[in-house]
Structures are given as structure tokens and as C-alpha cells.
């Protein structure tokens, strides 16, 4: 079997938590910890390094988990939560949005696996999208820097545009650094 | 007027904090009913929940962190869904508290800190440097959400003394009701949060409120009434009725003779459910050293109504967007003013409230960081708007 997905359960209802832990284990997930909600959640995540956290939507600690991937990009965690059954539309929309998955409050063993699978798949999609966005942003930033460096070279060294671009590219190859970084260095020197 | 309302039954979410008072008062004192609105107030446990429920239509409107509304509208930290606001839940209300141990160390570096807010950031800088030299871990400071005024005010204050927040401070999120416990268990060294959680730390003897949000930015925005842009377009009369009810509730709250009743309502378990003492502290706005030798009264610790406190200034939104850009949450290329104009329906607020016979500013913007005293714009009184130690805007 492929590497097991490590799950941390955050729940103060131990009966429900035990039931869910069993259901997850039956379906090939590794439950690394069952913890009580509280402000030390961050430390718990750091200790157990789960791939996924299951938490009740009624827990205020949800904000802690949400912030984790926002404040610390190296620790992306899909979050699956319990929600009230009568909020089915909320659940559907949320799952479609790909940010989180939801499990109805009364844990049905059979449904756990499919819900978890959907959540994981959606989470990966979301992460991929986020990374893609980042790449695009970086590319934008890079071309902005190159442009600026080019203009500075043209203005201060009397180079033509083609020549300026060529010298940035050459420096990039020689120093084995990305063009954006070379451009940044040029800007910092020429702007003095 | 009643028959023009598109939707009369509304579900509105709130977080149990003192600034949710206008919703509670509008409900209890009948301002919603006067407008033909049948409102159910839904007490929520987390900002993430409030945001998701509003976005997915489980709530019609919500008490929301102003920065969260702007972030969600841009798809930052959540699904992208345009949210708008045309009402602000008053101004100010936050403070920064530190643990007893950190407070003692700061007092050694700069004495009489409670009395001199301008010295606090410098003292923090000295402490950060001292800790670095000793090889101590960075200070751990909590905020209530990554997209919150608490986060940006804290950063603004630290930055003002040249502290490198990204490298020398660890910022983390702890929900308001948990901050005091987190401080007690030494999971954090301090936090920026709304009342009553600052006074509460002092009362329990685990921490000291060092400086108020007012000291960092005089009369800063805080929470707004968020609705989906689509909802606002589909229900303009309902939206206007909501704003009128909240405006009247805010006015009612600001009247001194109603103070006791406001506190009584807020204390109820279905609303805030905090002890009366803590809620009274939130209105008193006093900072105090643990030994009681230093006491400083913050003149507008919270500002619920006066000085156009409910006016959704687009200049407030611009400032927030700029902070988001400065700390890397939002692309720097984005046009802050365009974002502010999309999300802050200032014209709608003006049209709605002026119809009540109230004179409001014609402009959607005001210059921030220029007025050390209350001033007048077209004959309308506005409060001071200085930044910490006279720092300039942006």
C-alpha cells in the first residue's frame, strides 16, 4: 500500500472521536493522535506532523488551523470537519470549493472513506492551484525586475534595449543565478 | 416602507464580542422589528465559520473583521466571493497585552511604560535585540486571525521601532477566548485582541495590557457588517433597512443613560455571556500596571457611534489593503483604491442614513494620520486619526 495518510483528530467528545478513529483506521488512514481542542493545537501539529486534521466546525480552534497554512506556507494541512446535517448545502458548496471537506456529525463508517477521499483530492487540487498562482506571480515579478534593470542599464550605461537584455542574460548564465535575481542586483547597484 | 422589503426573515451571524452590541440592541430594543425585519441572531464560534456560512448563503449578513471581508473578496485565504459592506460596527476596542515576565523585562528597559505608550515599541525593540544576543527564541505574539486589524496594528506598532516582524517575531493565531489561557500556559508571550480579554488577563494576574489599539491608530476601523455582493444587489431595500436599524441601535448604545442596559444585554448567555465586570471594563478603557501604581485612561477606547463611527470610509479599506500588501498577503500590484471601492458601499450607506435626516460627509475618503484633535469636514465633526508616534500614512 502507498504511504498512509496521517490524520490527527481534534475532538472533545471521546466516543465520537474513537468511532471515527476506528473508521479511519479501517480505511487505511493512520490516526497519529487524538487530541483535545485548545490553544496548544499548534504544538500538537508540530509534534505529530499530520497530513490532515479533523476538527469540529463548532470548535473555535478552527481559526488556528486555518491560519497555519496562511502564516506558515510549509505546513499545508487539509482540514476535514464535522458539520450539522441540516447544513447539507453548506457542506456541498464547501466541498466543491475545495478548501475543506466536511463530515456529517453522526459518523457513518461507510461514508467516512469517500468523504475523506474527496477532501484529500480537493485539497490537492487547491494546493496545485495555489502553487500555480504563485509561479505566475513570481514570473510577473521577475519580468518587472528585468524590465527595470534593463531601463536602468539603458539610461545609465547608454546600452540599447537588446544589449541590456543580453547582458542580464549573460550574467545570469555566468553566475548560475535566475535572471530575476541578477536584475535585482543590478537595480540595487545602479539605484545607489 | 414595509412592503418594499425583498426579504424579511434574516439570519445574521456574530462573534460574542462587545462590538457586536448593535446587532443585539437592534434585536432586543426592536429596531429590526421597526423596519419589518424578523432577524435570527446566530452566535458563531470562529471567524472561519462566519466567513464560510456567509459565503455559502447560510447567513444573510455577518459581523465580520473588516480585513477578512476584503481578503475573501479577493480570494485570499478562502474561496473568492465578492463581499461588500455599508456599515461599520464602530471604531477601536483592541489592546496589546504581554505576559507578566515580558512586562517585567520591558519595565527594566523602559520604566513607567503604562504611562508612556510612545515608549512601548522602543522597549520591545530593545527586548528583541537582547533576546537575540542571548540566543533566545523569537517572541510569540498571537492575533485573532491573519486577516484582522489586530494583526496589522500589532505589526504597525512593532515596525515603528524597526523590529523585523518576519524574522524576529513569531506571529500565530489564537481565538480570543483562549488567549488568556495560552498566556498562562506559556504558549505565547503576548497578543493583540479585543476586550474583555485584555482586562481579563490583568484580573487573573497572568498578563498586562501594555498599549491600546487607539494609541496605535486613533479611531481605527474594526468590524463591519458583511453581505454577499449578489445579496446586496438582489435585496437593496432589505439591506437599507438593516443599516437603518443598526444605525439607530448604535445611536442608542452611545447614550450614557442606556449604558447599564447595554451591559445587561451583553452579559446574557445567549449573547456574549462574559461576566459583568469584564464587559464594564471594556467600556471603561483603563490601562493599569499590575501593582496599580500606573493608571492611564484611554479616552476613546471604544467608539460606537459618535464622530461618524459607523461610516464605512474607503480610506480605511485602502489602509487595510496596503497592510495586507506590506506583509505579503496580497499582490502588491493590486489597486488598493479599486478594491476599496468594490467592497465598501459608502455611497449606499450615505444615501440610506441621509434619508433619516442625518447630515453625512460628502467624501468617501479622508486623509488618515493628520489630525491630532477632533476636526470638522464640511461642518461634520470627525475624530482624531493619528498613527502611533505621529507616523505618516503608509
Amino acid at each position: 500500500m502507498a504511504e498512509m495518510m496521517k490524520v490527527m483528530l481534534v475532538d472533545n467528545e471521546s466516543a465520537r472521536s474513537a468511532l471515527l478513529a476506528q473508521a479511519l483506521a479501517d480505511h487505511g488512514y493512520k490516526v497519529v493522535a487524538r487530541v483535545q481542542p485548545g490553544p496548544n493545537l499548534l504544538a500538537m501539529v508540530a509534534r505529530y506532523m499530520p497530513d490532515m486534521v479533523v476538527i469540529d466546525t463548532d470548535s473555535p480552534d478552527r481559526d488556528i488551523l486555518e491560519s497555519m497554512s496562511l502564516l506558515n506556507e510549509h505546513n499545508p494541512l487539509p482540514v476535514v470537519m464535522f458539520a450539522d446535517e441540516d447544513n447539507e448545502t453548506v457542506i456541498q458548496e464547501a466541498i466543491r470549493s475545495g478548501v475543506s471537506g466536511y463530515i456529517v456529525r453522526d459518523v457513518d463508517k461507510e461514508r467516512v472513506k469517500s468523504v475523506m477521499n474527496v477532501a484529500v483530492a480537493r485539497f490537492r487540487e487547491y494546493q496545485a492551484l495555489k502553487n500555480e498562482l504563485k509561479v505566475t506571480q513570481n514570473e510577473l515579478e521577475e519580468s518587472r525586475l528585468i524590465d527595470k534593470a534593463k531601463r536602468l542599464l539603458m539610461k545609465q550605461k547608454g546600452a540599447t534595449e537588446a544589449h541590456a537584455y543580453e547582458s542580464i542574460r549573460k550574467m545570469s548564465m555566468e553566475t548560475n543565478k535566475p535572471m530575476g535575481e541578477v536584475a535585482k542586483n543590478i537595480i540595487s547597484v545602479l539605484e545607489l | 416602507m414595509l412592503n418594499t422589503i425583498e426579504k424579511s426573515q434574516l439570519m445574521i451571524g456574530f462573534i460574542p464580542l462587545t462590538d457586536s452590541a448593535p446587532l443585539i440592541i437592534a434585536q432586543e430594543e426592536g429596531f429590526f422589528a421597526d423596519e419589518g425585519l424578523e432577524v435570527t441572531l446566530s452566535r458563531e464560534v470562529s471567524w472561519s465559520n462566519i466567513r464560510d456560512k456567509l459565503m455559502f448563503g447560510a447567513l444573510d449578513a455577518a459581523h465580520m473583521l473588516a480585513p477578512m471581508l476584503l481578503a475573501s473578496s479577493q480570494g485570499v485565504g478562502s474561496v473568492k466571493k465578492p463581499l461588500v459592506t455599508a456599515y461599520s460596527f464602530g471604531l477601536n476596542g483592541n489592546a496589546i497585552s504581554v505576559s507578566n515576565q515580558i512586562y517585567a523585562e520591558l519595565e527594566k528597559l523602559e520604566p513607567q511604560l503604562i504611562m508612556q505608550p510612545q515608549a512601548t515599541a522602543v522597549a520591545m525593540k530593545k527586548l528583541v535585540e537582547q533576546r537575540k544576543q542571548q540566543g533566545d527564541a523569537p517572541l510569540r505574539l498571537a492575533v485573532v486571525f491573519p486577516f484582522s486589524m489586530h494583526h496589522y496594528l500589532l505589526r504597525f506598532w512593532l515596525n515603528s521601532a524597526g523590529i523585523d516582524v518576519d524574522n524576529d517575531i513569531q506571529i500565530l493565531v489564537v481565538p480570543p477566548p483562549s488567549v488568556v489561557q495560552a498566556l498562562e500556559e506559556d504558549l505565547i508571550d503576548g497578543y493583540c485582541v479585543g476586550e474583555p480579554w485584555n482586562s481579563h488577563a490583568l484580573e487573573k494576574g497572568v498578563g498586562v495590557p501594555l498599549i491600546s489599539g487607539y494609541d496605535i491608530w486613533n479611531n481605527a476601523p474594526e468590524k463591519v457588517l458583511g453581505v454577499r455582493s449578489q445579496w446586496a444587489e438582489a435585496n437593496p431595500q432589505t439591506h437599507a433597512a438593516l443599516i437603518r436599524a443598526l444605525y439607530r441601535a448604535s445611536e442608542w448604545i452611545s447614550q450614557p443613560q442606556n449604558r447599564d442596559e447595554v451591559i445587561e444585554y451583553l452579559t446574557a448567555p445567549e449573547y456574549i455571556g462574559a461576566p459583568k465586570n469584564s464587559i464594564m471594563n471594556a467600556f471603561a478603557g483603563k490601562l493599569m500596571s499590575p501593582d496599580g501604581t500606573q493608571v492611564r485612561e484611554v479616552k476613546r477606547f471604544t467608539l460606537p457611534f459618535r464622530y461618524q463611527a459607523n461610516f464605512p470610509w474607503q480610506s480605511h479599506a485602502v489602509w487595510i489593503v496596503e497592510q495586507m500588501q506590506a506583509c505579503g498577503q496580497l499582490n502588491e500590484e493590486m489597486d488598493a483604491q479599486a478594491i476599496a471601492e468594490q467592497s465598501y458601499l459608502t455611497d449606499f450607506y450615505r444615501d440610506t442614513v441621509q434619508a433619516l435626516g442625518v447630515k453625512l460627509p460628502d467624501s468617501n475618503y479622508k486623509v488618515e494620520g493628520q489630525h491630532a484633535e477632533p476636526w470638522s469636514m464640511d461642518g461634520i465633526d470627525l475624530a482624531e486619526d493619528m498613527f502611533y508616534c505621529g507616523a505618516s500614512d503608509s
Side-chain angles (χ1 to χ4, degrees):
Chain A
M1 192 179 161
E3 213 177 306
M4 278 166 98
M5 180 74 72
K6 288 186 288 179
V7 182
M8 186 169 105
L9 289 176
V10 186
D11 199 354
N12 46 16
E13 278 181 42
S14 61
R16 179 171 67 187
S17 163
L19 185 66
L20 186 64
Q22 188 57 52
L24 286 165
D26 290 351
H27 287 109
Y29 291 94
K30 187 175 181 192
V31 179
V32 288
R34 280 165 52 195
V35 304
Q36 294 274 323
N40 62 346
L41 202 51
L42 281 177
M44 290 292 169
V45 171
R47 188 197 301 172
Y48 295 108
M49 305 284 281
D51 301 306
M52 180 182 255
V53 177
V54 177
I55 186 170
D56 197 318
T57 43
D58 283 349
S59 167
D61 297 327
R62 217 193 122 185
D63 283 347
I64 299 182
L65 288 171
E66 280 254 340
S67 67
M68 234 177 266
S69 56
L70 282 166
L71 295 175
N72 179 3
E73 291 177 41
H74 309 293
N75 202 0
L77 293 159
V79 181
V80 178
M81 287 154 287
F82 303 97
D84 295 318
E85 281 172 280
D86 55 5
N87 277 341
E88 197 64 33
T89 41
V90 178
I91 298 163
Q92 291 304 326
E93 276 275 9
I95 291 175
R96 215 174 305 142
S97 74
V99 181
S100 352
Y102 284 74
I103 297 178
V104 285
R105 192 168 299 282
D106 297 315
V107 183
D108 171 2
K109 269 197 186 184
E110 296 311 307
R111 283 197 59 200
V112 168
K113 186 175 184 178
S114 63
V115 175
M116 292 297 261
N117 283 345
V118 169
V120 172
R122 290 297 179 186
F123 176 73
R124 288 192 175 136
E125 255 173 57
Y126 178 69
Q127 285 302 318
L129 203 71
K130 236 170 71 177
N131 291 339
E132 214 173 275
L133 204 71
K134 200 155 220 177
V135 170
T136 321
Q137 270 176 6
N138 287 344
E139 279 170 1
L140 264 173
E141 172 69 6
E142 188 171 53
S143 70
R144 197 181 64 85
L145 286 171
I146 294 172
D147 220 51
K148 190 168 180 191
K150 228 165 53 183
R151 272 183 281 115
L152 282 171
L153 284 172
M154 286 158 70
K155 201 169 138 200
Q156 298 191 13
K157 307 277 170 195
T160 63
E161 186 173 5
H163 188 219
Y165 182 80
E166 193 49 41
S167 46
I168 299 173
R169 204 172 65 93
K170 212 170 142 208
M171 258 187 268
S172 159
M173 287 195 306
E174 278 167 3
T175 56
N176 218 3
K177 280 181 183 156
M179 281 181 75
E181 207 180 316
V182 170
K184 211 177 196 171
N185 290 339
I186 293 175
I187 294 166
S188 66
V189 171
L190 293 186
E191 269 191 344
L192 279 179
Chain B
M1 187 165 284
L2 298 189
N3 53 4
T4 62
I5 284 175
E6 301 87 357
K7 190 173 187 211
S8 60
Q9 293 190 331
L10 300 178
M11 184 71 93
I12 305 181
F14 72 100
I15 295 282
L17 291 166
T18 45
D19 60 12
S20 67
L23 288 168
I24 294 160
I25 298 305
Q27 181 80 325
E28 294 290 340
E29 287 291 313
F31 296 113
F32 283 142
D34 289 349
E35 296 287 344
L37 299 172
E38 233 178 275
V39 170
T40 306
L41 292 179
S42 169
R43 180 174 147 149
E44 302 292 337
V45 290
S46 69
W47 293 111
S48 329
N49 269 16
I50 267 217
R51 179 201 59 212
D52 287 356
K53 286 188 175 180
L54 180 66
M55 284 193 157
F56 302 134
L59 295 172
D60 293 289
H63 173 229
M64 198 174 227
L65 299 162
M68 178 181 233
L69 176 115
L70 292 161
S72 304
S73 297
Q74 300 305 315
V76 181
S78 74
V79 189
K80 182 168 179 170
K81 195 145 207 166
L83 300 178
V84 294
T85 183
Y87 168 84
S88 145
F89 281 93
L91 305 171
N92 304 328
N94 299 320
I96 294 172
S97 296
V98 294
S99 69
N100 289 335
Q101 191 201 333
I102 299 294
Y103 174 75
E105 286 175 35
L106 289 172
E107 275 277 317
K108 263 186 246 157
L109 295 163
E110 289 277 342
Q112 295 285 308
L113 272 182
I114 302 294
M115 306 314 287
Q116 11 168 25
Q118 73 283 0
T120 52
V122 178
M124 281 296 276
K125 170 73 177 166
K126 285 185 188 165
L127 182 62
V128 164
E129 292 306 323
Q130 197 180 68
R131 290 175 66 98
K132 264 206 292 204
Q133 274 179 7
Q134 294 166 355
D136 294 339
L139 289 171
R140 301 153 300 170
L141 302 179
V143 295
V144 306
F145 205 73
F147 307 109
S148 64
M149 284 303 296
H150 314 79
H151 185 188
Y152 308 134
L153 289 173
L154 179 69
R155 291 186 88 102
F156 193 92
W157 175 65
L158 295 167
N159 279 330
S160 75
I163 296 172
D164 179 354
V165 179
D166 290 326
N167 292 310
D168 294 340
I169 301 284
Q170 189 194 350
I171 299 219
L172 33 89
V173 165
V174 176
S178 307
V179 287
V180 177
Q181 187 197 343
L183 202 60
E184 199 169 13
E185 292 177 8
D186 193 27
L187 298 166
I188 53 176
D189 299 303
Y191 53 76
C192 181
V193 71
E195 279 292 80
W197 307 114
N198 295 291
S199 308
H200 197 57
L202 186 69
E203 241 177 61
K204 280 196 78 181
V206 297
V208 186
L210 198 59
I211 179 172
S212 77
Y214 173 88
D215 298 314
I216 300 171
W217 183 11
N218 296 166
N219 305 302
E222 183 50 41
K223 314 287 183 335
V224 292
L225 181 78
V227 299
R228 290 181 303 285
S229 175
Q230 265 180 325
W231 186 97
E233 277 163 32
N235 305 285
Q237 299 297 337
T238 312
H239 195 190
L242 256 180
I243 292 164
R244 284 193 297 269
L246 290 173
Y247 181 85
R248 291 194 171 111
S250 303
E251 185 176 28
W252 193 89
I253 289 166
S254 73
Q255 284 157 1
Q257 70 269 25
N258 296 329
R259 173 63 49 88
D260 290 347
E261 244 177 303
V262 172
I263 291 169
E264 205 64 48
Y265 282 133
L266 295 185
T267 320
E270 69 270 33
Y271 294 133
I272 299 185
K276 213 172 185 166
N277 263 350
S278 313
I279 294 184
M280 277 163 74
N281 276 341
F283 287 99
K286 262 187 201 149
L287 298 184
M288 209 189 297
S289 60
D291 59 7
T293 55
Q294 304 175 50
V295 181
R296 182 165 69 90
E297 201 160 328
V298 181
K299 84 176 144 181
R300 285 188 244 290
F301 190 85
T302 57
L303 186 57
F305 176 74
R306 221 186 141 192
Y307 295 118
Q308 305 296 332
N310 310 113
F311 194 88
W313 291 101
Q314 283 168 359
S315 42
H316 284 169
V318 166
W319 188 86
I320 293 168
V321 171
E322 285 170 356
Q323 308 312 303
M324 292 168 77
Q325 291 173 321
C327 68
Q329 290 177 334
L330 199 63
N331 191 333
E332 279 179 34
E333 312 272 307
M334 292 177 97
D335 181 351
Q337 194 165 331
I339 294 175
E341 285 167 13
Q342 277 163 23
S343 289
Y344 273 50
L345 307 182
T346 313
D347 295 339
F348 188 77
Y349 173 86
R350 184 185 299 107
D351 292 346
T352 304
V353 174
Q354 280 197 155
L356 298 171
V358 181
K359 192 166 165 8
L360 296 180
D362 289 330
S363 175
N364 294 349
Y365 289 84
K366 60 187 173 85
V367 184
E368 307 291 347
Q370 296 278 311
H371 307 93
E373 294 295 329
W375 57 295
S376 163
M377 181 195 257
D378 311 324
I380 294 156
D381 289 342
L382 298 177
E384 60 281 10
D385 50 35
M386 295 304 273
F387 290 101
Y388 185 65
C389 295
S392 63
D393 189 4
S394 79

